[in-house]
Amino acid sequence: MTYDKFDALQSLKPNAQWHWVGTDYSGLTWKDTGSAPTEAELEAEVVRLQADYDSKEYQRKRKAEYPSVVDQLDDIYHNGIDGWKATIKATKDKYPKP
C-alpha cells in the first residue's frame, strides 16, 4: 500500500468537510469550520502513515501464514499447548519483529 495526501487528510481530519479536485494541494477546497492542514503537514503525515504501514509488514506476513483458529484449536487438542506453541513459533521465527 502506498499512502498519499488524501489518506493523510483523512488521518489528520477524519470528520472534516472538504472537496479536492486534481492532484495538487491547490485543488483542496476546505468546507469545515476548523483550519485545513498545510501541505507540509499533509506530506509529513504521508511519511508517518507509510512508515507505520511498512513497520508492520511482519504482522501481515504472519497473519497470512497462521493456521485458522479452528485449526489452532485442533492442534491444541491433539498436540497440547506445547505443540501449538511450536506451530506458532515457526511462523514467528520466519517473520520476526524488526
Side-chain angles (χ1 to χ4, degrees), residues 11-76:
S11 175
L12 291 172
K13 304 282 186 169
N15 298 314
Q17 299 293 315
W18 51 273
H19 180 73
W20 200 319
V21 176
T23 58
D24 63 7
Y25 190 74
S26 65
L28 177 64
T29 303
W30 196 250
K31 298 180 177 187
D32 204 73
T33 56
S35 61
T38 66
E39 189 167 11
E41 290 170 330
L42 290 177
E43 289 170 359
E45 183 65 3
V46 167
V47 170
R48 188 197 69 76
L49 288 169
Q50 193 65 53
D52 183 58
Y53 178 83
D54 293 345
S55 73
K56 295 176 181 166
E57 181 178 14
Y58 77 95
Q59 291 176 346
R60 293 185 297 278
K61 288 181 176 179
R62 284 180 180 183
K63 184 177 180 180
E65 286 200 23
Y66 282 144
S68 70
V69 172
V70 171
D71 290 340
Q72 289 186 48
L73 289 171
D74 192 52
D75 192 15
I76 291 170

